[in-house]
Amino acid sequence: MTEGKVRTPATRLSRRAEAAANDAAVAAISRGASVAFRLIGDSFDVGLRVDSGEVSLSKDSHGLDCDFTLTAADDVWEGLTDDEPPAGEHSVVTLVRQGLVKLSGEQLAYDRHVQIVRAFVDAIREARSTAPLGRPLTATGSYHRIETSLGVTDVYVERQGSGPQLLACATAGSQTSQWHGIMTHTDLTDRYELITVDLPWHGRTSPAWDQPVGSYRLTPDRYTEFLVAVADALELEAPILVGVSMGGAAVVHAIATHPKRFAGAVGCQAGPSVTARANEHLRGTRVNPALFIPEWTYGLMNPASPEPFKQRVWWGYSSGGHGLYAADIDSYLSWNVDSVQTKLTPELPHIAILSGVFDTSVPSSASEELARRIPNASFRTMPELGHFPHAENPPIFARHLEAALERVQAGAEGGSL
């Protein structure tokens, strides 16, 4: 538990559990499911039963026939269910993976129903941030035939705004819609042209022509080849690259290997290398990937980020094609700055590295280390954000992004961190 933070006693979980069991989001995510589980602390024990989608709370969970049980000390539950949980204490999925919340019973039952566990914990937090609708989306979409080692594809591109051009990359397994919040809820495109692009097989870009389902494979070199090909096809003179997660590593690789093609880059949520992102269920058949993958990623956001944006991130990860997220993660796991270290010289265009502190997959210390490995780089943290800064809270991210873009355009005068 974070020192100096006063929290209500853990018994509040018991008090709030009944309301959480009747929460609309819990009911919606539970449709069609049947499962029973317990949450146990030092001073409380609550159970939840879902029977063909009907949710009920068990006030005496000792007699509940559970599929699995989650047990942790009171202070762990207090941190997790705080209305504004501190970074590192905020995700039940991460805490289970770290062993701070102990899972007993059927692992597979937990994996199949983790979405209900997470929604129930979310509902125990009474505070939920929302957001206004925003201005209408006015992006212009178009298709462009691109041929690279990924195959021949009619690639979908969206553009909005005017000014210096930003060529933006979405996170692993995702698509251009991740950037819609920047277009509708910020005024960034009043000063910049935001250009977003789907990788082959992703979003509204069809599979590469005449290639079988499941054959898609990405590498850092192929990603850079694709970015260069897109910039050429769109006749972009010297765009600034903006990438998040896998895209954050990709823009560093692209600047290192094609420094004259781009004016600089902003890379978010990337480190010198990546670990602990693989899981058998990302491509497996024992668990529904359309439920598991969004839960694998959802806990990497700040729970206090506006609910509508977080739900759109979740939905995006539930909408990916078979094997796409797993293949992208394979590529991301192969990223290592060592492969381009000798090309990272002080003469390169500036690379601004940003890190959301709620991201437990790429901690800020890793992103700072990456920045230190790049001679002409700057590093800043984003205390309010997590792994999907551009999508989970666009208005906050836009402020960090504009400051980073100013450093890129100024060359950061030697790149001091």
Side-chain angles (χ1 to χ4, degrees):
M1 190 171 90
T2 303
E3 292 185 9
K5 184 171 179 65
V6 178
R7 295 190 177 131
T8 56
T11 52
R12 68 151 183 195
L13 191 148
S14 298
R15 294 198 307 269
R16 294 184 179 183
E18 187 166 356
N22 293 300
D23 186 81
V26 175
I29 204 71
S30 299
R31 292 180 66 182
S34 294
V35 68
F37 60 87
R38 292 166 66 185
L39 306 182
I40 301 176
D42 301 321
S43 62
F44 67 88
D45 185 338
V46 298
L48 197 74
R49 176 177 293 282
V50 180
D51 186 5
S52 299
E54 296 295 322
V55 181
S56 60
L57 184 72
S58 176
K59 296 181 180 179
D60 180 16
S61 62
H62 295 283
L64 185 65
D65 185 15
C66 291
D67 296 287
F68 59 89
T69 299
L70 299 175
T71 306
D74 277 357
D75 65 341
V76 174
W77 288 119
E78 288 172 9
L80 177 61
T81 60
D82 195 283
D83 286 344
E84 294 185 3
E89 302 179 37
H90 62 284
S91 166
V92 66
V93 175
T94 298
L95 293 176
V96 169
R97 191 166 65 242
Q98 293 173 342
L100 293 173
V101 174
K102 182 181 177 182
L103 170 67
S104 56
E106 298 180 28
Q107 174 76 49
L108 189 59
Y110 165 77
D111 292 340
R112 284 175 169 168
H113 301 95
V114 65
Q115 70 279 3
I116 301 175
V117 177
R118 189 271 309 158
F120 183 52
V121 170
D122 277 359
I124 291 170
R125 302 184 188 116
E126 292 183 335
R128 291 185 185 177
S129 176
T130 187
L133 182 59
R135 60 188 186 183
L137 183 66
T138 59
T140 299
S142 59
Y143 282 94
H144 304 265
R145 181 153 294 182
I146 305 291
E147 182 174 1
T148 67
S149 57
L150 290 170
V152 179
T153 316
D154 291 323
V155 172
Y156 180 71
V157 176
E158 285 187 337
R159 306 175 76 152
Q160 180 171 307
S162 60
Q165 294 175 326
L166 311 179
L167 181 56
C169 316
T171 58
S174 194
Q175 55 181 290
T176 58
S177 62
Q178 271 201 340
W179 293 95
H180 284 174
I182 293 292
M183 297 174 175
T184 60
H185 285 75
T186 82
D187 62 359
L188 181 79
T189 55
D190 292 347
R191 293 173 294 284
Y192 293 90
E193 182 183 16
L194 181 60
I195 305 164
T196 63
V197 57
D198 282 337
L199 280 163
W201 301 80
H202 294 62
R204 278 157 288 205
T205 295
S206 296
W209 187 254
D210 202 28
Q211 292 189 15
V213 170
S215 64
Y216 166 75
R217 295 291 184 274
L218 187 66
T219 67
D221 287 334
R222 284 182 167 186
Y223 205 149
T224 291
E225 178 193 5
F226 177 75
L227 290 174
V228 171
V230 168
D232 290 346
L234 299 180
E235 299 181 346
L236 308 181
E237 185 174 348
I240 298 173
L241 295 173
V242 183
V244 182
S245 186
M246 177 182 75
V251 301
V252 174
H253 187 279
I255 294 295
T257 56
H258 290 75
K260 295 182 179 180
R261 187 64 189 87
F262 305 103
V266 179
C268 311
Q269 312 316 125
S273 60
V274 181
T275 60
R277 294 306 300 150
N279 185 284
E280 64 167 311
H281 299 316
L282 304 185
R283 193 186 274 111
T285 57
R286 296 196 300 161
V287 171
N288 183 354
L291 287 172
F292 184 83
I293 290 175
E295 294 300 334
W296 187 244
T297 57
Y298 188 90
L300 303 178
M301 295 183 283
N302 181 354
S305 289
E307 200 70 20
F309 293 126
K310 291 190 299 175
Q311 291 296 316
R312 279 161 173 73
V313 173
W314 193 101
W315 184 252
Y317 273 105
S318 185
S319 308
H322 169 67
L324 279 189
Y325 180 71
D328 283 348
I329 290 298
D330 288 344
S331 174
Y332 194 21
L333 288 170
S334 73
W335 155 252
N336 194 310
V337 72
D338 290 344
S339 65
V340 294
Q341 187 66 68
T342 59
K343 299 179 184 295
L344 294 170
T345 66
E347 295 74 31
L348 288 184
H350 185 76
I351 302 175
I353 302 296
L354 299 177
S355 173
V357 302
F358 280 83
D359 182 3
T360 56
S361 68
V362 184
S364 295
S365 58
S367 294
E368 184 173 14
E369 181 184 349
L370 173 61
R372 292 189 184 281
R373 298 279 294 272
I374 303 170
N376 186 12
S378 58
F379 172 74
R380 301 290 187 275
T381 59
M382 299 179 287
E384 317 90 337
L385 301 171
H387 190 74
F388 305 95
H390 60 307
E392 67 178 86
N393 200 333
I396 296 293
F397 175 67
R399 298 203 293 265
H400 292 287
L401 176 59
E402 288 220 53
L405 291 170
E406 290 173 5
R407 294 195 295 277
V408 170
Q409 291 170 306
E413 297 181 356
S416 60
L417 293 181

